[in-house]
Amino acid sequence: MSEENSNSAYRVLARKYRPSNFDDLIGHEAMVKTLSNALESGRLAHAFVLTGTRGIGKTTTARIIARGLNCTGPDGDGGPTVHPCGVCKNCIAISEDRHQDVLEMDAASRTGVDDIRELIDGVRYLPVSGRYKIYIIDEVHMLSKNAFNALLKTLEEPPEHVKFIFATTEIRKIPVTVLSRCQRFDLKRVDAEMLADYFGTIAAKENAEIENNALALIARAAEGSVRDGLSLLDQAIAHGDGAVSAEQVRDMLGLADRSRMLDLLETILKGEIAEALTILRSQYDSGADPVVVIQDLLELTHWLTTLKVTPEAANNVAMSGGDVSRGQEMAQALGMPSLARAWQMLLKGLDEVRNAPMTLAAAEMILVRLAYASDLPSPEDLAKKIQDGAGSPQQAKPSSPSGGHGTGASMRSGGAATLAVSNASPAMSENPQTEQAYQKATAPRAHLSLVEPVASEPVSEPAVQSAEPLKREADFVDMEDLVNLLHDRSDVMLRSQLINFVRPVKFEKGVLEFSPAPSAPADLAARLGIRLREITGEKWSVTLSANAEGAPTVAEKRALDKAAMIAAIDKHPLVQSVKSIFEGASIRDVRDLGPGLEFMADGDISPNDDSE
């Protein structure tokens, strides 16, 4: 009979070791300090809201606050304190959940406005035996909208003898009108190292022998929740019959061996796919969940990446001393591009494994992808190969300041590669119109072109045009010169309309006749003529031609030139070589070379004399 009573009286560790004062509460020192200062200075709020993830002590903290506010001390003369005595009648009654003035309400089961009205009706009555009448509402975010509205007025101006303490895991679901009336405390997740020490203390009180690595595994699985960790510790002690090893905890939690996960990651990054699949299969046969395996690989990838930045990250993962040294060696040997690529592929693969009907097969496919991607060159190596002309069908010499023929690549200080394509390539001379468009599109332009550049001579960038109005005679070559003339801030709208709506029919010195594109403003010709006269100081005739069909607008011509240039560049052997390496690659955009580079007469790139 006594044995049956003993079994029925057993309390789980999460309830048995629930803190009864702030000294036993771990991980929330900032909140305890705030409450201590508030009590000492008499600046005690009338409402508190405690928020945080599951199992970190929100309800426990609310009960400790209630005990501290109503504690009278061992001699019965004490006042509010953050260190309740635990022996006075108020402390004992609150700890046993039978105090008349401390009312707990579960908002998950009592969500309606009628429940709040019942609560409000009792607010006006003085406490029976305590100093304050305290209302603890757990999961307060579950209250209905009408219930929150009914509570607002009382919450804003409660009687002096009433205190409200709210607890919630979903702080964003609480109306801001309620939050603005409360003093908020965010209870953060407890650090894994602190949890492991705490669980070790409790295991010692329970006369259970448990390895440090097992405690670290339980703390990591708890994810910052004290209650979850105590439940796992309770289960581990029962599983190990008083003596718990790390291997037993792994079996209980369905975790993979961290050392084997390090082996798995190393074999993948080496491209040894057969060995990697063997390790994965053995871990699966041992009870490891494929989803957990991918999560462990993600965590190890993050760990190795942070090791390259800060050596202190070596202690962030539950690892033995030998595995930590091994991880540091791997981090030094691996490049950041390889680790970043592995992280992205594992992160994408995690969702695939979670949603796959066959999780093991999905995990194996992730490993196959990672192994085959392990020998791909990094962006830096690829840029160097392109710069040296490696992999092109015809090995060419890099361009030099003296103007040699061939293909090459130049790396800017920002790390972006700029391709230089030779105009002498036979692939570009098949279509003269395409080649002409390419030559014109790639030639550097001045803000205001006065003459066409000669193809046989290097083209250099002239000085930037002054912001002063242009008061000299100019021969305009094309519409781009007219666009560049409208450089002032006040001309932004007119410049945009000139680019998009003007289709020139006749364009010469002082004369512009154009056909308007659809949606063109009716007064565009008048405004453009006035502005051109102001800038140049000359007479301009700008007229509309309703019947004639003009040439393409500046925007349309730019699009055609860009398409022709991309088509020409796409045929170059160097580009074809890059596309053979990256299957499915295509040219989406072509940008200016920028300062420090210019096109030579044959189309190669050469550094300017004053560039570094």
Side-chain angles (χ1 to χ4, degrees):
M1 180 66 68
S2 60
E3 199 172 308
E4 292 179 1
N5 291 338
S6 176
N7 290 336
S8 62
Y10 177 74
R11 300 179 68 190
V12 297
L13 298 182
R15 294 185 59 193
K16 183 177 181 180
Y17 293 99
R18 170 173 280 179
S20 58
N21 54 64
F22 285 120
D23 293 334
D24 298 332
L25 197 66
I26 62 172
H28 306 311
E29 290 78 9
M31 180 196 64
V32 175
K33 183 177 181 180
T34 301
L35 290 175
S36 299
N37 295 338
L39 288 172
E40 291 177 0
S41 61
R43 305 176 64 87
L44 191 64
H46 63 270
F48 305 91
V49 57
L50 309 175
T51 178
T53 188
R54 67 191 187 282
I56 58 171
K58 297 183 297 296
T59 305
T60 298
T61 301
R63 292 174 180 174
I64 296 175
I65 293 175
R67 292 178 64 183
L69 293 178
N70 282 324
C71 178
T72 58
D75 55 0
D77 296 329
T81 177
V82 291
H83 302 289
C85 65
V87 296
C88 67
K89 63 178 183 178
N90 286 333
C91 287
I92 295 174
I94 294 174
S95 63
E96 296 176 355
D97 296 333
R98 57 179 179 81
H99 199 284
Q100 301 178 62
D101 297 321
V102 178
L103 307 176
E104 286 195 38
M105 172 181 165
D106 180 18
S109 57
R110 303 181 64 184
T111 63
V113 65
D114 292 335
D115 299 311
I116 295 299
R117 285 173 181 166
E118 180 182 344
L119 181 149
I120 294 174
D121 289 340
V123 166
R124 55 187 174 179
Y125 299 108
L126 292 172
V128 177
S129 59
R131 185 178 295 106
Y132 295 103
K133 181 173 282 189
I134 300 174
Y135 292 91
I136 300 176
I137 304 181
D138 202 5
E139 301 300 335
V140 68
H141 66 273
M142 300 292 288
L143 290 178
S144 66
K145 181 179 179 180
N146 291 336
F148 275 122
N149 291 336
L151 184 62
L152 281 179
K153 188 61 178 177
T154 303
L155 186 61
E156 182 176 13
E157 298 178 357
E160 294 182 358
H161 60 271
V162 173
K163 302 291 182 185
F164 290 97
I165 305 177
F166 302 142
T168 179
T169 55
E170 301 286 347
I171 190 67
R172 295 183 179 179
K173 292 184 179 180
I174 300 178
V176 66
T177 51
V178 173
L179 291 177
S180 64
R181 292 165 166 83
C182 302
Q183 193 171 95
R184 173 176 169 175
F185 293 102
D186 290 84
L187 306 187
K188 299 180 180 179
R189 297 176 185 269
V190 182
D191 181 74
E193 185 176 353
M194 184 180 295
L195 276 179
D197 294 339
Y198 180 64
F199 296 156
T201 303
I202 292 179
K205 294 179 180 179
E206 293 293 314
N207 297 320
E209 298 179 2
I210 181 167
E211 296 179 358
N212 291 333
N213 288 339
L215 291 173
L217 289 173
I218 293 174
R220 185 169 62 89
E223 296 182 344
S225 171
V226 181
R227 184 179 62 221
D228 288 5
L230 287 174
S231 298
L232 293 174
L233 179 63
D234 212 344
Q235 182 180 353
I237 293 175
H239 180 78
D241 195 19
V244 184
S245 65
E247 188 65 30
Q248 289 174 327
V249 173
R250 288 194 186 96
D251 293 339
M252 181 188 76
L253 299 177
L255 299 176
D257 188 342
R258 299 311 292 270
S259 297
R260 293 297 285 165
M261 286 299 96
L262 206 55
D263 294 338
L264 179 58
L265 184 61
E266 185 175 12
T267 54
I268 292 172
L269 296 179
K270 287 182 179 179
E272 300 173 359
I273 183 59
E275 179 65 19
L277 294 179
T278 301
I279 296 175
L280 176 62
R281 176 67 67 169
S282 66
Q283 292 298 303
Y284 179 77
D285 293 339
S286 300
D289 185 353
V291 175
V292 177
V293 171
I294 300 299
Q295 289 175 334
D296 284 348
L297 290 177
L298 266 172
E299 185 176 355
L300 288 176
T301 303
H302 172 262
W303 179 57
L304 293 176
T305 305
T306 52
L307 274 178
K308 299 183 72 68
V309 181
T310 169
E312 290 78 8
N315 299 321
N316 291 349
V317 179
M319 287 283 194
S320 62
D323 290 334
V324 170
S325 301
R326 183 179 170 195
Q328 291 172 334
E329 293 176 359
M330 287 179 61
Q332 293 176 358
L334 292 169
M336 193 64 74
S338 299
L339 291 170
R341 180 169 54 204
W343 170 265
Q344 291 294 335
M345 296 181 71
L346 286 169
L347 193 62
K348 184 176 184 297
L350 182 60
D351 287 335
E352 296 180 11
V353 177
R354 283 173 174 167
N355 300 324
M358 298 180 293
T359 56
L360 178 61
E364 288 178 340
M365 292 302 296
I366 300 302
L367 300 190
V368 170
R369 267 186 270 170
L370 272 171
Y372 274 90
S374 62
D375 59 351
L376 289 177
S378 66
E380 181 181 1
D381 294 337
L382 183 61
K384 290 181 179 178
K385 289 182 179 180
I386 294 175
Q387 184 178 13
D388 297 335
S392 61
Q394 297 179 351
Q395 191 73 15
K397 297 179 181 179
S399 60
S400 62
S402 60
H405 294 281
T407 355
S410 174
M411 295 298 296
R412 297 185 187 180
S413 60
T418 303
L419 299 182
V421 182
S422 172
N423 296 334
S425 172
M428 294 188 184
S429 59
E430 297 175 0
N431 189 338
Q433 185 177 1
T434 300
E435 183 178 359
Q436 182 180 3
Y438 166 77
Q439 294 281 0
K440 187 170 184 179
T442 54
R445 296 184 56 86
H447 285 278
L448 182 63
S449 300
L450 301 182
V451 294
E452 281 286 356
V454 181
S456 60
E457 296 180 359
V459 181
S460 59
E461 186 79 13
V464 178
Q465 178 179 330
S466 172
E468 294 295 326
L470 185 61
K471 297 294 184 180
R472 62 184 176 83
E473 186 176 318
D475 295 328
F476 295 95
V477 177
D478 56 20
M479 292 294 294
E480 288 283 1
D481 299 327
L482 206 58
V483 170
N484 290 333
L485 200 59
L486 301 175
H487 63 273
D488 194 80
R489 284 187 178 181
S490 60
D491 297 328
V492 172
M493 180 64 71
L494 185 60
R495 178 189 176 112
S496 175
Q497 293 171 352
L498 174 62
I499 292 173
N500 294 285
F501 299 132
V502 174
R503 291 174 174 167
V505 176
K506 181 179 180 181
F507 179 42
E508 58 187 30
K509 177 183 177 182
V511 177
L512 173 61
E513 181 182 352
F514 69 90
S515 173
S519 303
D523 62 343
L524 177 57
R527 290 189 293 110
L528 185 57
I530 294 173
R531 185 56 181 152
L532 290 177
R533 285 193 293 271
E534 292 176 352
I535 295 176
T536 63
E538 301 176 357
K539 183 178 179 180
W540 272 83
S541 173
V542 181
T543 58
L544 293 176
S545 178
N547 299 325
E549 183 177 354
T553 65
V554 173
E556 293 168 344
K557 186 176 182 301
R558 288 176 179 176
L560 291 173
D561 291 345
K562 182 177 180 180
M565 180 171 56
I566 290 177
I569 293 176
D570 191 59
K571 294 180 181 180
H572 194 274
L574 176 60
V575 177
Q576 293 297 321
S577 174
V578 173
K579 294 175 69 174
S580 67
I581 298 175
F582 296 99
E583 185 177 353
S586 61
I587 301 176
R588 294 187 179 181
D589 195 8
V590 179
R591 301 179 181 177
D592 293 338
L593 295 175
L597 293 173
E598 64 178 8
F599 273 92
M600 302 296 292
D602 57 2
D604 289 339
I605 296 178
S606 174
N608 290 332
D609 294 337
D610 57 349
S611 62
E612 294 183 0

